Amino acid sequence: QVLLVESGGGLVQAGGSLNLSCTASGLHFSVYSMGWFRQTPGKEREGVSCTAPSGMSAHYSSAADGRFTITRDNAKNTVYLQMNSLKPEDTAIYYCAANLAGGWNTCRRDGFEFWGQGTQVTVSS
């Protein structure tokens, strides 16, 4: 059974930083694309950043590019999302996702099979 558990969300002021973590179990982590997605009420879940199994390549949304950094530690079965210069519009539930057959280069919701339960990020103005 694949299990993805996110942590690190919380309340932060605009301009601040958060580092999200997602630890996976039940899969061979180092061969999976991993991604971070976010969703707000009434909106589609959108890709924020995704990384290749090796961690050597990544995709960023335009909203995340230059402010967020995705990394992974295959020895710890964990993927991270370092979020800097946070804005109120970054407020959302952030989800971790995994997929065996690629998907990192397009970072689309329909390209990922396994999902975590999400962690709330709230950025106050």
Side-chain angles (χ1 to χ4, degrees), residues 43-122:
K43 292 190 176 182
E44 293 289 320
R45 192 170 299 185
E46 63 176 2
V48 176
S49 182
C50 297
T51 180
S54 67
M56 295 298 290
S57 299
H59 172 97
Y60 292 93
S61 69
S62 57
D65 198 16
R67 297 188 299 128
F68 297 179
T69 303
I70 189 169
T71 57
R72 63 190 293 163
D73 185 339
N74 286 349
K76 296 182 178 180
N77 285 10
T78 301
V79 61
Y80 307 93
L81 185 68
Q82 176 66 42
M83 304 188 294
N84 299 327
S85 302
L86 283 161
K87 305 174 182 179
E89 51 263 44
D90 295 317
T91 295
I93 298 175
Y94 283 71
Y95 296 90
C96 173
N99 193 65
L100 178 60
W104 68 268
N105 55 327
T106 54
C107 205
R108 291 167 50 94
R109 177 181 183 176
D110 58 6
F112 281 76
E113 181 177 3
F114 301 105
W115 295 85
Q117 293 300 305
T119 184
Q120 177 72 46
V121 171
T122 303

Side-chain angles (χ1 to χ4, degrees), residues 8-13 17-18 120-124:
L11 173 64
V12 64
Q13 289 188 329
S17 299
L18 284 174
Q120 177 72 46
V121 171
T122 303
V123 184
S124 64

Side-chain angles (χ1 to χ4, degrees), residues 1-25:
Q1 178 184 358
V2 175
L3 186 64
L4 305 176
V5 180
E6 302 99 334
S7 62
L11 173 64
V12 64
Q13 289 188 329
S17 299
L18 284 174
N19 190 26
L20 305 183
S21 300
C22 170
T23 299
S25 59

